[in-house]
């Protein structure tokens, strides 16, 4: 089961952060963002710990390389960005810049 969560989209320079609230069971999401480069990470609804999930290098290597560094996602004007899967929930607490 996929829990509800808050997905964060943070500019890679840290200057802005956007959030999207999801509900239990959502298996995809969409959000309109200004053009730019972002890191994408999330926290399960109701979880106040420093743990979360992210779109990381480990996601890109099939969850076999244990590299929890966030991967930049480029948002282009008028184009959909797909396959930004927040599936790295194995990073140590404090890895992602959760608010």
């Amino acid at each position: 089961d996929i829990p509800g969560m808050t997905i964060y989209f943070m500019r890679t320079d840290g200057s802005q952060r956007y959030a999207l609230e999801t509900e239990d069971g959502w298996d995809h999401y969409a959000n309109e963002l200004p053009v730019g480069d972002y890191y994408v990470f999330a926290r399960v609804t109701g979880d106040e710990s420093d743990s979360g999930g992210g779109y990381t290098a480990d996601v890109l290597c099939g969850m076999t390389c244990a590299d929890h560094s966030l991967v930049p996602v480029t948002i282009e004007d008028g184009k959909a960005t797909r396959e930004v899967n927040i599936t790295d929930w194995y990073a140590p607490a404090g890895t992602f810049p959760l608010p």
Side-chain angles (χ1 to χ4, degrees):
D1 294 333
I2 300 171
M5 63 186 83
T6 302
I7 301 173
Y8 299 98
F9 307 87
M10 184 180 78
R11 288 197 181 266
T12 56
D13 67 3
S15 65
Q16 292 177 302
R17 184 185 305 229
Y18 302 90
L20 174 67
E21 300 286 331
T22 71
E23 297 178 17
D24 291 348
W26 283 23
D27 62 356
H28 64 279
Y29 62 91
N31 201 11
E32 291 188 26
L33 298 168
V35 171
D37 295 322
Y38 295 85
Y39 294 126
V40 183
F41 49 94
R43 175 186 281 150
V44 173
T45 301
D47 183 357
E48 296 298 322
S49 73
D50 288 336
S51 295
Y55 180 65
T56 66
D58 203 27
V59 173
L60 297 181
C61 74
M63 302 301 291
T64 61
C65 59
D67 181 350
H68 305 292
S69 57
L70 291 164
V71 174
V73 174
T74 299
I75 304 300
E76 298 179 61
D77 191 27
K79 292 186 178 181
T81 304
R82 301 188 187 284
E83 303 300 322
V84 180
N85 299 311
I86 304 166
T87 53
D88 184 357
W89 293 91
Y90 304 99
T95 298
F96 307 123
L98 296 165

